[in-house]
Amino acid sequence: MQLNEEIQRRRTFAIISHPDAGKTTLTEKLLLYSGAIDRAGSVKGREGAGHAQSDWMEIEQERGISVTSAAMQFEYQDHVINLLDTPGHQDFSEDTYRALTAADSVVMLLDCAKGVEEQTKKLFRVARERALPIFTFVNKLDRPGREPVELIDEVEELFGLHAVPMTWPIGSGTDFKGVYVRATGQIQVFERTKAGRKARVAGEGGLDDPEIKALLTPAELQQLRDDVELMDHVLPPFDLEEFLAGRQSPLFFGSALNNFGVAEFLEEFLAMAPAPHSRPLKDGGEVAVDAPFTAFVFKVQANMNKAHRDRVAFARIVSGRFERGMDALHVRGAKSIKLNYPHMFFGRDRVIVDEAFPGDILGLINPGMFRIGDVLSAAGPLEFHAVPRFSPEQFVSVRLADPGARKGFLKGVQQIAEEGVVQVFWPRGGAPLPILGAVGRLQFDVLQHRLKTEYACPVIMEPRGFQMARWLQGGWPEPSRFWGELVEDSEGNPAILFENDWQRRTTQEKNPDLTFLDHPQ
Ligand code: G4P
């Protein structure tokens, strides 16, 4: 197949949602339609014998949350779909944030009873700021939920995003009858169907069709007519351009658990979601998708396979055809490397790939070489915009259980920090051990667990009272009067850790020439 055909049939996306909204269930149903798995429960149940286990999974199982973030590839109707998995727990939202830099579109999954939940607002906002096209799927329609209009208002109020219904629910909870499809004027009837099937469609003749009159009570039909009237007259019509610009979000209703609305959503998704496209460069210009091979690392994860103790760098291909064994420039290291054993992942199973295309995610195994943001290029040295970081909100000091293990600790912490698990800050006046920062507490638990199991370096952590890190634009000069602690990050960028916003504001007032950034430059 030609390069351009391969690109056009690819869709690379992430699902973001609050834990429990149904992301695992939806993912599983999507995979069932694709034929990539053949039984329900396969996504959650892959930890059976024979599958690679990791330390991450121990934590995952202990806490019952998803810590890992892998990419899965599957095919449906001639399309190749790359689904970037994203941890639902807010403590790992930075991982999700980075996954979004590799996505071309996003599915915002909401629980119909809950709408947009507090913990995930930040992520939705990131998707919004990156102007990613966002689909909205409202799940659990088989249960009582909030009024659709309320959900539409909420999405608009919070994100300035116009949600435009493509389908519309008829009833909810035990009275849920199905959804009205605006494009066809027909109804997808809610019935218990087998996995992999589509819903029955009723009402070829529109709302006056006798089939519909038999299906709905007169009150339900009247309500639906009113709703349709409202949608057609009050809400803006769906506009593909507006969607692609990240200003409108097509809205779908369904029930992942009941397999309802999923196949229909998948087909609409494939038709509307953008294929991989050119990516801007840091110093202006852009890389076209059909340029020679380029890719960037958006995630580094250790110990995908305990037997090998390896580190996998996940790289999103931006342009060109990838072929196994090809040479590419590792731009930061200014060194040409041979890409011999790239993997693609299906859940936790891995296969070696011979060929891959823009939008695909390669798992590169190469100890210590890759950091988040690294670029691989067969098109000469170039830099994409940095993969952004969240400012840490939690800080700890560490003590070593064995004071002689300092060297091992520093190596471990540096490697784990390069994977983006924590951020390292060195107090300005010199200190034997750094202060560590993270977005969520669980990141420290991961660090502590991994230092112990991978680096044989148990540590004791002591919470510090800081709440934020602010980097100083343009570096030093050091402020004459400040509140908080002057530090340098692992790259030597100066920053101040503040205990509260009062400290930040006061330091700013006393040093009007300083500009604070909430991420390194
Ligand atoms: P998550 O990955 O976003 O955290 O959510 P997950 O899919 O695990 O779903 C959370 C719970 O919601 C699960 O129930 C799941 O069965 C249920 N669920 C998902 N989709 C629907 C739906 O359309 N309707 C209804 N009624 N429930 C839905 P659980 O009891 O917590 O777990 P499980 O024992 O069923 O796995």
Side-chain angles (χ1 to χ4, degrees), residues 65-351:
I65 52 167
S66 174
V67 180
T68 53
S69 178
M72 291 187 232
Q73 187 178 70
F74 57 96
E75 291 197 24
Y76 186 70
Q77 291 185 345
D78 270 349
H79 284 86
V80 178
I81 302 164
N82 293 301
L83 171 53
L84 297 151
D85 197 9
T86 45
H89 196 286
Q90 66 162 350
D91 280 14
F92 298 102
S93 51
E94 225 189 337
D95 265 357
T96 302
Y97 188 24
R98 287 191 284 260
L100 293 182
T101 64
D104 295 320
S105 60
V106 162
V107 173
M108 170 157 89
L109 178 68
L110 304 178
D111 179 329
C112 70
K114 299 189 172 142
V116 180
E117 292 172 79
E118 195 53 44
Q119 286 186 18
T120 27
K121 275 184 194 161
K122 194 155 143 188
L123 287 172
F124 294 146
R125 241 174 234 132
V126 169
R128 201 51 206 103
E129 279 160 17
R130 288 208 55 229
L132 282 169
I134 302 174
F135 293 85
T136 307
F137 187 94
V138 179
N139 190 29
K140 305 197 186 182
L141 261 289
D142 57 314
R143 294 225 294 236
R146 289 167 52 190
E147 287 295 325
V149 179
E150 251 182 66
L151 297 174
I152 292 173
D153 285 350
E154 188 168 80
V155 168
E156 168 136 21
E157 233 163 74
L158 289 172
F159 312 121
L161 184 64
H162 301 289
V164 181
M166 310 305 277
T167 61
W168 191 259
I170 306 165
S172 83
T174 45
D175 294 328
F176 181 51
K177 293 285 175 68
V179 296
Y180 170 78
V181 182
R182 288 183 73 195
T184 60
Q186 294 176 338
I187 289 177
Q188 286 162 9
V189 185
F190 178 61
E191 290 165 340
R192 312 232 161 232
T193 49
K194 275 198 184 153
R197 293 268 175 80
K198 285 196 203 172
R200 179 167 72 89
V201 175
E204 275 188 15
L207 292 185
D208 292 322
D209 196 308
E211 210 183 355
I212 290 195
K213 289 194 169 142
L215 197 69
L216 307 181
T217 65
E220 283 167 344
L221 185 56
Q222 189 51 49
Q223 177 71 49
L224 178 59
R225 286 185 198 282
D226 293 348
D227 289 345
V228 171
E229 170 111 358
L230 179 98
M231 278 187 283
D232 290 349
H233 290 101
V234 178
L235 297 177
F238 178 71
D239 179 329
L240 193 65
E241 292 288 306
E242 288 290 290
F243 160 64
L244 293 175
R247 291 189 289 266
Q248 270 194 4
S249 176
L251 178 63
F252 298 84
F253 295 86
S255 168
L257 185 66
N258 291 292
N259 223 11
F260 181 75
V262 178
E264 293 80 358
F265 170 67
L266 181 56
E267 283 165 21
E268 291 289 337
F269 168 84
L270 292 174
M272 289 155 72
H277 43 79
S278 61
R279 195 174 187 93
L281 287 165
K282 200 170 175 182
D283 54 5
E286 56 181 29
V287 172
V289 271
D290 55 359
F293 170 77
T294 62
F296 70 94
V297 175
F298 65 96
K299 179 168 181 65
V300 178
Q301 187 166 310
N303 270 339
M304 292 286 290
N305 181 343
K306 207 170 186 174
H308 297 111
R309 289 238 166 259
D310 53 12
R311 283 171 107 191
V312 179
F314 291 92
R316 142 102 201 208
I317 301 180
V318 173
S319 63
R321 181 189 296 263
F322 167 83
E323 280 165 30
R324 179 150 77 96
M326 75 186 290
D327 293 314
L329 178 70
H330 178 241
V331 173
R332 183 175 53 83
K335 200 166 113 189
S336 177
I337 54 172
K338 198 171 259 315
L339 300 169
N340 269 335
Y341 296 106
H343 292 79
M344 269 200 207
F345 289 80
F346 178 82
R348 285 182 187 88
D349 293 341
R350 51 171 81 170
V351 286

Side-chain angles (χ1 to χ4, degrees), residues 381-420:
L382 48 86
E383 259 187 285
F384 297 111
H385 287 286
V387 175
R389 299 216 63 168
F390 277 173
S391 175
E393 290 164 22
Q394 314 248 2
F395 297 82
V396 294
S397 288
V398 277
R399 263 194 303 124
L400 305 182
D402 168 11
R406 180 169 177 270
K407 233 171 120 184
F409 164 78
L410 290 179
K411 183 171 160 228
V413 108
Q414 186 202 336
Q415 288 192 351
I416 297 171
E418 278 170 13
E419 291 167 28

Side-chain angles (χ1 to χ4, degrees), residues 17-25 44 139-140 142-143 255-257:
S17 64
H18 188 274
D20 261 4
K23 189 171 59 168
T24 311
T25 313
K44 269 189 174 164
N139 190 29
K140 305 197 186 182
D142 57 314
R143 294 225 294 236
S255 168
L257 185 66

